Amino acid sequence: MTRVLPHLRAFARGLCGRPDYADDLVQEAMLKAWAARESFQPGTSMRSWTFVILRNVYLSDARRNRFRGDYDPDLAETLLSQPAGQEDGLHMGDLRNAMMRLSPERREALLLVGAGGFSYEEAADIAHCAVGTMKSRVARARRSLEDMLGAETQAGGFKAKPRSVSHTEMLDELDRVANQ
């Protein structure tokens, strides 16, 4: 179970966008996995099993808290100010903000397939949907990101990098988070 922790942390951070909340989600998911360890079927993927648990914890928490607004002053401060001369960091911030504006289903799909390295079939199993639905969510998420980042360029924001560079940076960032 400890080998999947970095992957769970990266997935949780991508889902919720807040490192502190992501760590809480991972901790809760690991507690649930430990409590249900007898239900794990040997020979199946521990990583997929724990991702399903994490996803369910996140969705349960989101349903429970959907009417409560979160305000994190530290997070608000970091979003309002950016250090000068850090253009790459700003591009990454633009990508992160665009990711958080995606619907939860599309963001989850993009994180599972794009950053998590799961096949469409594995991601569909984790998300409890059809493979075609997963492919559609990923395609629409990518298109939405391109549109959002392109709109920021046209609106006088930072010039969006080509998709391949942004995608590479996103994967590098998630790998960095997973290895912390």
Side-chain angles (χ1 to χ4, degrees), residues 48 52 55 119-131 134:
S48 293
V52 169
R55 178 183 179 270
S119 68
Y120 285 111
E121 292 78 14
E122 292 171 320
D125 285 342
I126 291 170
H128 303 294
C129 67
V131 175
M134 181 56 63

Side-chain angles (χ1 to χ4, degrees), residues 38-94:
E38 281 81 30
S39 68
F40 176 72
Q41 298 174 358
T44 61
S45 172
M46 172 69 72
R47 188 169 157 217
S48 293
W49 185 67
T50 55
F51 268 59
V52 169
I53 293 171
L54 178 84
R55 178 183 179 270
N56 290 340
V57 167
Y58 172 73
L59 293 175
S60 295
D61 200 41
R63 278 191 293 273
R64 188 173 32 253
N65 295 325
R66 74 177 147 193
F67 296 113
R68 184 176 14 160
D70 285 337
Y71 176 73
D72 183 356
D74 295 330
L75 180 62
E77 180 65 30
T78 60
L79 292 175
L80 293 174
S81 63
Q82 293 288 336
Q86 301 287 333
E87 192 171 315
D88 288 339
L90 294 174
H91 290 299
M92 198 63 201
D94 290 343

